Amino acid sequence: MSDAGPVRRPLVMGILNVTPDSFSDGGEHATTEAAVEHGRRLVAQGADLVDVGGESTRPGAARVDEAEELRRVVPVVEALAAEGIKVSIDTTRARVARACVGVGAGIVNDVSGGLADPVMPGTVASLDVPFVVMHWRAHSATMQNLAEYDDVVTDVLAELDGRVRALVGAGVDPARLVLDPGIGFSKTAEHNWQLLAALDRFVATGSRVLVGASRKRFLGSVGRPVDPATGEVAPHDLRPVDARDVATAVVSAASMRAGAWAVRVHDVPATVDAFDVTQALLTASGAR
């Protein structure tokens, strides 16, 4: 690592789901007041920015209508931004993105990379804010049916490159783009591990890279018994969602060493600790 220069500490993006059905914390912050309070808590714990989302993207989730998504997120984004908190809006809809940037959001985080709403590329170009382009193949209800690749790393890089070219062609400043390999979206557990092991290839594109692995199912299977009949961990043997934060922090540390720009996490203190430990080790080894 020392030959590549100093290792930068990634930003910590705290997850704030204003939803009743997210896989980890659905319903916990469903009112504006509760959501704003949790956003403040994430920042107090060390988050650099808060990612506000009003529609669950867990596997199998149904879509929420646009009016409801706007009702959920706009007041939260506005309140947090008014307090000087840096906010990103997690949405696939151009109208939601525009409304939230209008009240203070500084980043648009689109899990579809601009594919779900044909108006999104032009909207982001006009808003002139950073845009997270995640690798995506379909909405949550059907995405796991498309988890097939010749080589997952090569294929995801190629598909993201296609999105970057399309977005730049629509007028988006390439310097505003952030790549996200889409951990857990149309991916098996093995695909997720392969992508994490190859994060340096995403960083090598020259774009900033966001990693969102927090509490996902594949982390719940680590160290758990595999059913010999299926080759997978049975649902009842998975680690509970709230018991995946140590595993998430380890991924955060690995992402830092690979050069990620930011990590998106539920449990901010564990990732902050992981970064502190990683920095101490790198400093001791001379890779400051």
Side-chain angles (χ1 to χ4, degrees):
M1 298 295 293
S2 58
D3 291 342
V7 177
R8 189 190 63 79
R9 184 189 184 107
L11 299 178
V12 179
M13 180 184 282
I15 297 170
L16 177 51
N17 291 317
V18 192
T19 59
D21 58 344
S22 291
F23 80 95
S24 175
D25 52 1
E28 292 183 13
H29 321 299
T31 68
T32 298
E33 294 76 14
V36 171
E37 180 57 33
H38 188 60
R40 296 187 188 114
R41 186 179 308 116
L42 291 169
V43 172
Q45 291 171 339
D48 298 290
L49 64 157
V50 176
D51 191 44
V52 178
E55 180 177 35
S56 175
T57 54
R58 63 177 173 78
R63 298 219 67 191
V64 65
D65 68 63
E66 185 177 85
E68 176 62 14
E69 186 181 356
L70 284 163
R71 185 195 69 77
R72 292 175 181 178
V73 299
V74 171
V76 176
V77 171
E78 184 172 23
L80 291 173
E83 295 184 16
I85 293 172
K86 295 180 180 178
V87 181
S88 58
I89 176 62
D90 176 5
T91 186
T92 63
R93 291 185 168 114
R95 185 180 171 203
V96 176
R98 183 178 293 282
C100 288
V101 171
V103 296
I107 298 174
V108 176
N109 179 15
D110 182 353
V111 299
S112 80
L115 284 168
D117 185 341
V119 183
M120 183 67 91
T123 297
V124 174
S126 68
L127 293 174
D128 201 28
V129 297
F131 183 59
V132 179
V133 186
M134 198 192 81
H135 175 261
W136 184 87
R137 286 183 164 180
H139 286 290
S140 298
T142 60
M143 66 181 180
Q144 289 309 107
N145 298 332
L146 301 174
E148 295 185 4
Y149 302 87
D150 292 327
D151 177 288
V152 66
V153 176
T154 300
D155 292 353
V156 169
L157 280 166
E159 289 174 34
L160 280 175
D161 181 65
R163 292 307 307 141
V164 167
R165 291 175 183 274
L167 289 161
V168 171
V172 180
D173 181 349
R176 296 281 189 183
L177 298 177
V178 178
L179 303 185
D180 180 341
I183 301 297
F185 289 78
S186 299
K187 316 288 191 309
T188 65
E190 182 180 357
H191 292 147
N192 293 328
W193 290 120
Q194 290 173 355
L195 289 166
L196 289 172
L199 280 179
D200 58 333
R201 290 180 59 184
F202 291 85
V203 173
T205 65
S207 293
R208 291 171 289 178
V209 175
L210 170 67
V211 178
S214 185
R215 295 182 177 175
K216 291 187 176 177
R217 180 186 177 93
F218 79 107
L219 295 179
S221 67
V222 174
R224 310 306 285 178
V226 174
D227 183 336
T230 64
E232 298 180 355
V233 177
H236 63 270
D237 283 328
L238 290 170
R239 295 177 188 273
V241 169
D242 59 0
R244 303 174 189 174
D245 290 328
V246 173
T248 299
V250 174
V251 171
S252 294
S255 299
M256 177 175 173
R257 298 203 65 155
W261 167 75
V263 295
R264 182 177 181 274
V265 298
H266 297 86
D267 181 21
V268 169
T271 278
V272 170
D273 282 351
F275 286 166
D276 287 343
V277 171
T278 302
Q279 189 62 65
L281 288 169
L282 293 173
T283 299
S285 70
R288 293 185 297 275

mmCIF file of all heavy atoms in Angstrom, residues 26-48:
data_model
loop_
_atom_site.group_PDB
_atom_site.id
_atom_site.type_symbol
_atom_site.label_atom_id
_atom_site.label_comp_id
_atom_site.label_asym_id
_atom_site.label_seq_id
_atom_site.Cartn_x
_atom_site.Cartn_y
_atom_site.Cartn_z
ATOM 1 N N GLY A 26 -36.737 -1.251 9.325
ATOM 2 C CA GLY A 26 -38.047 -0.800 8.860
ATOM 3 C C GLY A 26 -38.984 -0.482 10.006
ATOM 4 O O GLY A 26 -39.153 -1.273 10.928
ATOM 5 N N GLY A 27 -39.584 0.700 9.956
ATOM 6 C CA GLY A 27 -40.540 1.107 10.969
ATOM 7 C C GLY A 27 -39.937 1.808 12.165
ATOM 8 O O GLY A 27 -40.656 2.448 12.942
ATOM 9 N N GLU A 28 -38.617 1.746 12.338
ATOM 10 C CA GLU A 28 -37.997 2.354 13.509
ATOM 11 C C GLU A 28 -37.953 3.878 13.418
ATOM 12 O O GLU A 28 -37.926 4.555 14.442
ATOM 13 C CB GLU A 28 -36.574 1.815 13.693
ATOM 14 C CG GLU A 28 -36.525 0.338 14.083
ATOM 15 C CD GLU A 28 -35.102 -0.133 14.323
ATOM 16 O OE1 GLU A 28 -34.196 0.712 14.439
ATOM 17 O OE2 GLU A 28 -34.899 -1.362 14.384
ATOM 18 N N HIS A 29 -37.915 4.411 12.192
ATOM 19 C CA HIS A 29 -37.795 5.858 12.014
ATOM 20 C C HIS A 29 -38.863 6.342 11.027
ATOM 21 O O HIS A 29 -38.585 7.138 10.136
ATOM 22 C CB HIS A 29 -36.401 6.217 11.510
ATOM 23 C CG HIS A 29 -35.306 5.407 12.125
ATOM 24 N ND1 HIS A 29 -35.059 5.409 13.476
ATOM 25 C CD2 HIS A 29 -34.420 4.533 11.576
ATOM 26 C CE1 HIS A 29 -34.051 4.587 13.735
ATOM 27 N NE2 HIS A 29 -33.659 4.033 12.600
ATOM 28 N N ALA A 30 -40.081 5.852 11.203
ATOM 29 C CA ALA A 30 -41.131 6.077 10.211
ATOM 30 C C ALA A 30 -41.776 7.456 10.307
ATOM 31 O O ALA A 30 -42.443 7.884 9.370
ATOM 32 C CB ALA A 30 -42.203 4.993 10.322
ATOM 33 N N THR A 31 -41.613 8.157 11.432
ATOM 34 C CA THR A 31 -42.139 9.517 11.523
ATOM 35 C C THR A 31 -41.015 10.505 11.259
ATOM 36 O O THR A 31 -39.829 10.195 11.448
ATOM 37 C CB THR A 31 -42.730 9.802 12.911
ATOM 38 O OG1 THR A 31 -41.662 9.825 13.881
ATOM 39 C CG2 THR A 31 -43.756 8.743 13.298
ATOM 40 N N THR A 32 -41.383 11.710 10.837
ATOM 41 C CA THR A 32 -40.373 12.729 10.566
ATOM 42 C C THR A 32 -39.540 13.008 11.809
ATOM 43 O O THR A 32 -38.302 13.094 11.740
ATOM 44 C CB THR A 32 -41.040 14.027 10.080
ATOM 45 O OG1 THR A 32 -41.724 13.769 8.850
ATOM 46 C CG2 THR A 32 -40.016 15.124 9.868
ATOM 47 N N GLU A 33 -40.194 13.113 12.954
ATOM 48 C CA GLU A 33 -39.483 13.439 14.192
ATOM 49 C C GLU A 33 -38.477 12.351 14.549
ATOM 50 O O GLU A 33 -37.320 12.640 14.904
ATOM 51 C CB GLU A 33 -40.481 13.633 15.338
ATOM 52 C CG GLU A 33 -41.395 14.836 15.183
ATOM 53 C CD GLU A 33 -42.514 14.625 14.170
ATOM 54 O OE1 GLU A 33 -42.757 13.439 13.763
ATOM 55 O OE2 GLU A 33 -43.111 15.627 13.743
ATOM 56 N N ALA A 34 -38.902 11.088 14.469
ATOM 57 C CA ALA A 34 -38.009 9.984 14.802
ATOM 58 C C ALA A 34 -36.851 9.897 13.810
ATOM 59 O O ALA A 34 -35.707 9.619 14.194
ATOM 60 C CB ALA A 34 -38.774 8.666 14.827
ATOM 61 N N ALA A 35 -37.139 10.144 12.544
ATOM 62 C CA ALA A 35 -36.105 10.065 11.522
ATOM 63 C C ALA A 35 -35.064 11.168 11.704
ATOM 64 O O ALA A 35 -33.857 10.918 11.611
ATOM 65 C CB ALA A 35 -36.733 10.157 10.137
ATOM 66 N N VAL A 36 -35.521 12.382 11.958
ATOM 67 C CA VAL A 36 -34.590 13.494 12.151
ATOM 68 C C VAL A 36 -33.716 13.249 13.379
ATOM 69 O O VAL A 36 -32.499 13.482 13.350
ATOM 70 C CB VAL A 36 -35.354 14.826 12.276
ATOM 71 C CG1 VAL A 36 -34.414 15.955 12.695
ATOM 72 C CG2 VAL A 36 -36.037 15.175 10.950
ATOM 73 N N GLU A 37 -34.310 12.746 14.445
ATOM 74 C CA GLU A 37 -33.540 12.457 15.652
ATOM 75 C C GLU A 37 -32.477 11.386 15.378
ATOM 76 O O GLU A 37 -31.338 11.485 15.848
ATOM 77 C CB GLU A 37 -34.464 11.999 16.769
ATOM 78 C CG GLU A 37 -33.747 11.666 18.079
ATOM 79 C CD GLU A 37 -32.917 12.827 18.616
ATOM 80 O OE1 GLU A 37 -33.317 14.002 18.428
ATOM 81 O OE2 GLU A 37 -31.851 12.564 19.211
ATOM 82 N N HIS A 38 -32.837 10.374 14.601
ATOM 83 C CA HIS A 38 -31.858 9.338 14.286
ATOM 84 C C HIS A 38 -30.756 9.892 13.386
ATOM 85 O O HIS A 38 -29.581 9.522 13.529
ATOM 86 C CB HIS A 38 -32.515 8.137 13.618
ATOM 87 C CG HIS A 38 -31.579 6.982 13.448
ATOM 88 N ND1 HIS A 38 -30.959 6.366 14.519
ATOM 89 C CD2 HIS A 38 -31.116 6.345 12.339
ATOM 90 C CE1 HIS A 38 -30.173 5.394 14.086
ATOM 91 N NE2 HIS A 38 -30.251 5.363 12.758
ATOM 92 N N GLY A 39 -31.110 10.786 12.470
ATOM 93 C CA GLY A 39 -30.098 11.420 11.635
ATOM 94 C C GLY A 39 -29.092 12.187 12.472
ATOM 95 O O GLY A 39 -27.877 12.109 12.244
ATOM 96 N N ARG A 40 -29.582 12.919 13.454
ATOM 97 C CA ARG A 40 -28.686 13.635 14.372
ATOM 98 C C ARG A 40 -27.785 12.645 15.111
ATOM 99 O O ARG A 40 -26.589 12.890 15.311
ATOM 100 C CB ARG A 40 -29.491 14.428 15.389
ATOM 101 C CG ARG A 40 -30.340 15.551 14.825
ATOM 102 C CD ARG A 40 -30.933 16.359 15.968
ATOM 103 N NE ARG A 40 -31.913 17.334 15.515
ATOM 104 C CZ ARG A 40 -33.220 17.287 15.816
ATOM 105 N NH1 ARG A 40 -33.685 16.294 16.559
ATOM 106 N NH2 ARG A 40 -34.034 18.205 15.362
ATOM 107 N N ARG A 41 -28.369 11.526 15.529
ATOM 108 C CA ARG A 41 -27.603 10.526 16.279
ATOM 109 C C ARG A 41 -26.488 9.942 15.421
ATOM 110 O O ARG A 41 -25.359 9.751 15.898
ATOM 111 C CB ARG A 41 -28.546 9.411 16.750
ATOM 112 C CG ARG A 41 -27.900 8.386 17.675
ATOM 113 C CD ARG A 41 -28.904 7.327 18.112
ATOM 114 N NE ARG A 41 -30.108 7.926 18.664
ATOM 115 C CZ ARG A 41 -31.323 7.825 18.136
ATOM 116 N NH1 ARG A 41 -31.514 7.116 17.030
ATOM 117 N NH2 ARG A 41 -32.351 8.404 18.697
ATOM 118 N N LEU A 42 -26.781 9.663 14.161
ATOM 119 C CA LEU A 42 -25.762 9.115 13.260
ATOM 120 C C LEU A 42 -24.574 10.064 13.128
ATOM 121 O O LEU A 42 -23.414 9.633 13.152
ATOM 122 C CB LEU A 42 -26.372 8.845 11.881
ATOM 123 C CG LEU A 42 -27.386 7.698 11.795
ATOM 124 C CD1 LEU A 42 -28.101 7.732 10.444
ATOM 125 C CD2 LEU A 42 -26.713 6.349 12.007
ATOM 126 N N VAL A 43 -24.861 11.357 13.004
ATOM 127 C CA VAL A 43 -23.789 12.347 12.884
ATOM 128 C C VAL A 43 -22.995 12.436 14.182
ATOM 129 O O VAL A 43 -21.758 12.508 14.172
ATOM 130 C CB VAL A 43 -24.369 13.721 12.484
ATOM 131 C CG1 VAL A 43 -23.300 14.801 12.547
ATOM 132 C CG2 VAL A 43 -24.958 13.655 11.081
ATOM 133 N N ALA A 44 -23.696 12.420 15.319
ATOM 134 C CA ALA A 44 -23.008 12.471 16.611
ATOM 135 C C ALA A 44 -22.084 11.272 16.798
ATOM 136 O O ALA A 44 -21.050 11.358 17.470
ATOM 137 C CB ALA A 44 -24.028 12.532 17.743
ATOM 138 N N GLN A 45 -22.460 10.146 16.176
ATOM 139 C CA GLN A 45 -21.649 8.928 16.277
ATOM 140 C C GLN A 45 -20.469 8.916 15.309
ATOM 141 O O GLN A 45 -19.610 8.041 15.412
ATOM 142 C CB GLN A 45 -22.531 7.704 16.006
ATOM 143 C CG GLN A 45 -23.560 7.445 17.096
ATOM 144 C CD GLN A 45 -24.555 6.369 16.706
ATOM 145 O OE1 GLN A 45 -24.742 6.068 15.523
ATOM 146 N NE2 GLN A 45 -25.200 5.781 17.691
ATOM 147 N N GLY A 46 -20.442 9.877 14.390
ATOM 148 C CA GLY A 46 -19.303 9.958 13.483
ATOM 149 C C GLY A 46 -19.615 9.894 12.005
ATOM 150 O O GLY A 46 -18.692 9.889 11.180
ATOM 151 N N ALA A 47 -20.892 9.841 11.625
ATOM 152 C CA ALA A 47 -21.227 9.827 10.199
ATOM 153 C C ALA A 47 -20.873 11.163 9.552
ATOM 154 O O ALA A 47 -21.098 12.227 10.136
ATOM 155 C CB ALA A 47 -22.716 9.533 10.001
ATOM 156 N N ASP A 48 -20.336 11.098 8.352
ATOM 157 C CA ASP A 48 -20.016 12.314 7.605
ATOM 158 C C ASP A 48 -21.219 12.844 6.848
ATOM 159 O O ASP A 48 -21.292 14.040 6.558
ATOM 160 C CB ASP A 48 -18.886 12.018 6.616
ATOM 161 C CG ASP A 48 -17.614 11.593 7.317
ATOM 162 O OD1 ASP A 48 -16.989 12.440 7.969
ATOM 163 O OD2 ASP A 48 -17.260 10.393 7.229
#
